[in-house]
Amino acid sequence: MSEEKTKELSASYDLTPVHRANLRILKEIDRICRKYGIEYMMDSGTLLGAVRHQGFIPWDDDADVAFTRENYEKFARVVRKELPKGMKLLEPHQLGGGEAFYDFTPRILYMNSKTHEDGEEMAFYGGRLNHLWVDLFIQDDLPECRVKAAWIRALHTFVYGLAMGHRYRLDYSRYKTPGRIAVKLLASAGKRISMKTIRRMQYGLAVRYNKGQSRIRYYSNYQPDYLCVTIEKEWNQETVDLPFEDTVLMAPKNWDQVLKQIYGDYMQLPREEDRVPTHSAIEIQVTG
């Protein structure tokens, strides 16, 4: 979607129904986790919204939470039986019979919503990407050695490039010449490798250093341009409750350091022209 179209949409419709739907998902995640003694953390724009706005960022149209690997695996074992009608867990291997790729991020879908027009691309992903969702990011241990950490991130980027060969379409105009060449080469090679194998490669990298010896973590299922975010374990070894809209949700105990790592001066508002939703191509429709 063009920047002009995005700004036009942001000025033309109310995000209140979107926030209401995302809040329902967040409350279900919170309910399930508290029931089973699982810790999660508000993340990215949702954590920023909790601190800066005591709820959703007014122009934000998605929501994010994070789990350590151990907590995500506990959550994944119980979430399907606990989610109410109208919400579903979507894991990456469920797209296109296991051979389509969007990213490595699981998410909770809000089925009574529509974020894109129906068409070939949505059909390619089985219609599963055509809903509001809450992203579920996973934190794994990262080696403290800078060389090893850089190597792991480079390998993640390589694997992500292979996986891009299984996307519906790639927009090479987004990349400068060196990046464009690299993406073309990796995607072309990735088409010859099954997504099952690529997912196994990504998982192996993600859990490789989960032995409790490192003092830092990273988001192993972020997109490559966000793999640089490094979290000190002491920042989120414990969680606290923060007010969010009409409820409280879990946040990392040292949320200030996490937000500084992701955003820098996080209390500084973006330019007014940049306060626009970014995750939909139409006016989001919420029917329940």
Side-chain angles (χ1 to χ4, degrees):
M1 180 170 56
S2 69
E3 182 178 352
E4 293 76 15
K5 182 63 175 176
T6 300
K7 292 177 180 178
E8 178 185 328
L9 278 173
S10 69
S12 66
Y13 72 97
D14 181 11
L15 284 175
T16 301
V18 174
H19 292 163
R20 188 181 302 121
N22 281 332
L23 184 59
R24 289 175 181 169
I25 302 175
L26 289 170
K27 285 181 175 179
E28 284 300 320
I29 292 172
D30 182 77
R31 179 188 66 79
I32 294 166
C33 287
R34 292 183 194 273
K35 177 178 178 179
Y36 290 94
I38 299 168
E39 290 189 334
Y40 72 93
M41 296 159 283
M42 289 183 284
D43 191 60
S44 303
T46 305
L47 179 59
L48 176 58
V51 173
R52 196 172 66 189
H53 304 273
Q54 291 71 59
F56 291 104
I57 297 173
W59 53 89
D60 199 3
D61 59 357
D62 80 330
D64 310 289
V65 301
F67 296 84
T68 62
R69 174 69 60 177
E70 179 183 7
N71 278 301
Y72 176 73
E73 290 177 350
K74 292 178 182 177
F75 180 75
R77 286 196 290 268
V78 300
V79 61
R80 286 187 174 87
K81 69 178 182 180
E82 288 285 347
L83 282 175
K85 183 178 180 181
M87 296 183 195
K88 291 184 179 180
L89 172 68
L90 173 66
E91 294 191 288
H93 69 269
Q94 295 175 290
L95 294 174
E99 282 303 317
F101 174 74
Y102 183 73
D103 57 23
F104 291 112
T105 307
R107 38 189 53 100
I108 304 294
L109 306 181
Y110 192 81
M111 303 306 294
N112 295 324
S113 64
K114 184 176 181 180
T115 58
H116 296 80
E117 296 290 359
D118 295 327
E120 289 184 5
E121 182 172 7
M122 290 300 104
F124 178 80
Y125 293 110
R128 295 175 181 267
L129 299 183
N130 199 16
H131 305 286
L132 286 171
W133 62 55
V134 170
D135 286 318
L136 310 177
F137 295 119
I138 300 173
Q139 295 177 354
D140 286 297
D141 285 11
L142 186 68
E144 293 182 42
C145 171
R146 291 186 178 182
V147 174
K148 287 184 178 179
W151 177 240
I152 286 293
R153 287 176 168 132
L155 289 175
H156 271 295
T157 302
F158 176 82
V159 171
Y160 200 99
L162 294 176
M164 289 174 75
H166 294 264
R167 278 193 173 166
Y168 173 74
R169 180 187 294 121
L170 289 176
D171 180 7
Y172 293 110
S173 66
R174 296 177 53 198
Y175 306 96
K176 295 181 179 180
T177 300
R180 187 181 307 126
I181 294 172
V183 170
K184 283 184 177 180
L185 289 173
L186 286 171
S188 296
K191 289 179 181 179
R192 296 169 172 80
I193 305 172
S194 73
M195 269 308 305
K196 183 177 181 180
T197 297
I198 295 173
R199 284 192 300 272
R200 190 182 299 121
M201 293 165 65
Q202 190 274 340
Y203 177 80
L205 285 172
V207 303
R208 184 171 180 177
Y209 289 94
N210 282 358
K211 299 176 182 177
Q213 298 173 348
S214 176
R215 61 179 178 82
I216 58 177
R217 294 188 177 114
Y218 73 123
Y219 297 82
S220 61
N221 63 340
Y222 264 9
Q223 295 185 26
D225 48 345
Y226 286 100
L227 283 171
C228 60
V229 178
T230 303
I231 303 296
E232 298 278 348
K233 279 186 179 179
E234 64 180 25
W235 297 351
N236 61 8
Q237 201 72 11
E238 299 177 35
T239 62
V240 295
D241 287 344
L242 291 183
F244 192 92
E245 299 294 339
D246 63 356
T247 189
V248 295
L249 300 174
M250 295 185 198
K253 184 175 182 179
N254 199 337
W255 46 262
D256 176 67
Q257 289 294 337
V258 174
L259 287 173
K260 285 177 179 176
Q261 174 65 227
I262 299 174
Y263 297 107
D265 183 8
Y266 59 84
M267 294 302 289
Q268 179 66 42
L269 291 171
R271 297 177 304 170
E272 188 170 350
E273 58 266 30
D274 293 330
R275 301 175 196 177
V276 295
T278 57
H279 295 86
S280 61
I282 61 170
E283 180 173 345
I284 297 173
Q285 301 167 24
V286 181
T287 58

